[in-house]
Amino acid sequence: MIENQDRGAWSSKLGFILAGAGSAIGLGNIWRFPTIVGENGGAVFVIVYLLCVLLLGLPVMIAELSIGRKTKKNPVGAIIELAPGSSWKYVGYLGVLTGLIIFSWYSVIAGWVVGYLYKTVAGEFNNIVDPAITGTIFENFVADPVITIFLTAFFIGLTSYVLLKGVSGGIEKTSKILMPLLLVLLVVLAIRAMTLDGASAGLDFYLSPDFSKLNIKMVLAAMGQALFSLSLGMGTMITYGSYLSKKEDIVSSAVWVCGFDTGIAILSGFVVLPAVFAMGIDPSTAGPGLIFQALPGIFSEMPGGQMFGVGLFTLIGIAALTSTVSILEVPVAYVVDELKWSRRKSVISMALVSFVLAVPSALSNGASDFFGNLFGEGQSYFTVMSTVFGDLTLALGSLFIAVFVGWIWKSKNVFKEVEEEGNVFPMKGVYEIMVKYVSPIFIAIVFGYTVWDQILK
Ligand code: PHE
């Protein structure tokens, strides 16, 4: 229950798992995962992704939750408490900045989902299976500056509203009811998508690995996507851990959240990719419009399709909301704790800053040539922000968190925190090797190679 007015707490372990899963499950799973799988050649990417979840995601998630629960603070305050007077606090600041920027571009896509909900309700996609038509509808829609900015603002407002209602009342209740419903709906849609004419090419792409496609850029993308999807590397799980009670089992909670999140991502692939191939869309070049182009095709091919479409876009919107809430919560918790602002003032000011950062992203997809090509031909403000602050800084943040926990705070303190009230930390030796060596070295190699390959070479 709420401890004081400005710092909340989860009401139970299930409450936390669902809220944690609510943070993790979002556009990352349903929109970004199938798109990146499509761009990176399918099944091999999926294998690398699963390895990243296991080798990086799980250890870093346990690390973040332990730091958060130990200190009961936001990422900056938490790190200052554990390593006073050191420069490690900048890892916390990087998280706060990353949170603001991810929130800004994420709200743009979430706004598109709301727009698509409206279009589906209005019956705009009834009986349309031609990808040329769904593609044009998408392009015209995202190129409209007024609508996209309005929808972005709407989503930022909605997130702020939930955050103002506090942690347990707002975030937890929303997740508890709707995440299970999303799972059921995705299963139904996956069955329909997999039985469409021509879907088998999609299943093949998704499930039969072609190892000649393996390359370092794909590994970086998989790593960034795993961390993004699990909400790691910017302190979200430190913040969520700070609301977790001492009696809950951190390790099993982390396993559940990773499992749920990965399950939903894989399932989304089974919905989107068969449909993409059945409709004859090229997944390697479709970009951020992929799901918006492909999903209407599934709905048109099933009885009651419009109803399923309305249900799906509603639930994606809510999944996005339980994620944006956790993203904006990082900067908000920082100002509440460190600057001692009221929750209300913190939420409103952070939301306004993000909105300003979001406008160029909203204009990046056809509305403005300037923002559409800001960093070179085809390199929009949106693309660069979502790569730098969706992959790179999360990888850097995770690297530092693993090194911090493995070498500075030390894994024995993680074990102590986890075992605080009688829970047992299984396979301690394995965990220690993971946070000290495997996770940081893996990230450092992929990161270092990318910097060398893209910038220095
Ligand atoms: N994990 C969320 C998603 O998949 C996004 C997110 C990233 C949330 C980083 C919090 C922190 O949509």
Side-chain angles (χ1 to χ4, degrees):
M1 276 314 297
I2 306 287
E3 284 169 354
N4 68 41
Q5 240 202 324
D6 287 339
R7 256 201 106 64
W10 311 115
S11 60
S12 66
K13 173 168 171 187
L14 182 67
F16 166 74
I17 291 177
L18 289 174
S23 163
I25 297 168
L27 297 176
N29 310 60
I30 302 163
W31 161 74
R32 205 171 189 248
F33 181 77
T35 307
I36 299 190
V37 172
E39 285 166 354
N40 287 283
V44 183
F45 177 90
V46 178
I47 295 173
V48 179
Y49 178 84
L50 293 175
L51 283 175
C52 290
V53 171
L54 217 59
L55 298 180
L56 305 173
L58 190 57
V60 174
M61 185 172 295
I62 292 171
E64 284 202 25
L65 290 175
S66 306
I67 294 177
R69 196 177 70 175
K70 168 77 195 166
T71 57
K72 296 232 169 293
K73 291 207 166 117
N74 69 87
V76 176
I79 294 176
I80 292 178
E81 181 176 320
L82 298 179
S86 72
S87 305
W88 285 99
K89 62 173 179 283
Y90 292 107
V91 179
Y93 289 122
L94 181 68
V96 170
L97 176 72
T98 302
L100 275 177
I101 300 186
I102 292 185
F103 179 61
S104 71
W105 62 258
Y106 198 101
S107 298
V108 174
I109 314 294
W112 294 355
V113 172
V114 177
Y116 264 61
L117 172 59
Y118 176 80
K119 281 179 185 297
T120 314
V121 171
E124 219 179 291
F125 300 116
N126 290 353
N127 303 318
I128 299 182
V129 276
D130 181 350
I133 302 180
T134 56
T136 312
I137 294 179
F138 175 76
E139 275 165 28
N140 291 339
F141 169 66
V142 296
D144 185 324
V146 179
I147 290 182
T148 46
I149 290 178
F150 169 77
L151 290 171
T152 305
F154 171 76
F155 213 83
I156 291 178
L158 208 59
T159 307
S160 311
Y161 175 76
V162 176
L163 278 183
L164 283 174
K165 295 195 66 177
V167 169
S168 183
I171 307 176
E172 198 181 316
K173 279 208 192 95
T174 327
S175 306
K176 236 183 214 166
I177 311 164
L178 294 159
M179 287 301 103
L181 206 58
L182 175 67
L183 182 75
V184 174
L185 189 60
L186 284 175
V187 170
V188 174
L189 292 175
I191 293 171
R192 173 67 275 214
M194 287 191 284
T195 49
L196 289 172
D197 267 351
S200 60
L203 287 175
D204 217 38
F205 176 80
Y206 195 35
L207 298 175
S208 329
D210 170 358
F211 286 97
S212 67
K213 289 185 183 154
L214 193 66
N215 63 64
I216 191 91
K217 252 182 95 178
M218 163 201 288
V219 181
L220 180 76
M223 179 170 98
Q225 172 60 18
L227 297 170
F228 180 83
S229 189
L230 295 169
S231 309
L232 296 174
M234 53 164 268
T236 302
M237 290 298 164
I238 296 182
T239 311
Y240 269 36
S242 76
Y243 306 127
L244 189 60
S245 113
K246 294 280 182 200
K247 63 176 196 297
E248 310 307 354
D249 183 343
I250 291 183
V251 176
S252 88
S253 304
V255 170
W256 274 106
V257 172
C258 288
F260 264 143
D261 184 70
T262 308
I264 297 276
I266 299 286
L267 191 55
S268 303
F270 280 112
V271 176
V272 176
L273 293 166
V276 161
F277 279 80
M279 290 174 76
I281 299 168
D282 178 357
S284 64
T285 53
L290 182 74
I291 72 161
F292 298 97
Q293 209 181 341
L295 289 176
I298 309 181
F299 306 137
S300 299
E301 295 280 321
M302 63 200 290
Q306 186 178 3
M307 194 186 78
F308 282 101
V310 171
L312 185 70
F313 284 119
T314 307
L315 289 174
I316 299 180
I318 289 163
L321 184 63
T322 55
S323 299
T324 48
V325 155
S326 76
I327 303 175
L328 190 60
E329 176 67 14
V330 171
V332 166
Y334 164 68
V335 274
V336 168
D337 288 349
E338 304 301 310
L339 308 183
K340 309 279 180 250
W341 288 8
S342 71
R343 193 161 177 94
R344 196 181 160 78
K345 179 172 162 197
S346 312
V347 169
I348 294 172
S349 50
M350 291 301 110
L352 286 176
V353 173
S354 311
F355 177 69
V356 173
L357 296 168
V359 169
S361 275
L363 298 176
S364 276
N365 297 282
S368 148
D369 255 2
F370 176 73
F371 290 118
N373 298 294
L374 190 63
F375 297 96
E377 190 55 35
Q379 293 291 327
S380 67
Y381 172 90
F382 169 83
T383 324
V384 171
M385 289 299 135
S386 65
T387 310
V388 175
F389 294 92
D391 292 321
L392 300 186
T393 64
L394 293 182
L396 262 191
S398 302
L399 170 66
F400 289 130
I401 287 167
V403 171
F404 178 75
V405 165
W407 298 89
I408 310 291
W409 191 45
K410 302 261 160 60
S411 14
K412 66 172 193 290
N413 284 310
V414 173
F415 304 149
K416 217 167 111 196
E417 181 57 36
V418 169
E419 297 185 336
E420 186 83 11
E421 288 194 9
N423 293 303
V424 179
F425 196 116
M427 299 193 279
K428 294 195 174 92
V430 177
Y431 185 76
E432 179 146 10
I433 294 172
M434 300 298 266
V435 274
K436 266 181 113 159
Y437 305 105
V438 179
S439 315
I441 292 175
F442 185 84
I443 302 175
I445 292 177
V446 178
F447 205 86
Y449 186 89
T450 313
V451 172
W452 177 74
D453 187 53
Q454 306 279 312
I455 303 169
L456 305 175
K457 203 164 85 177

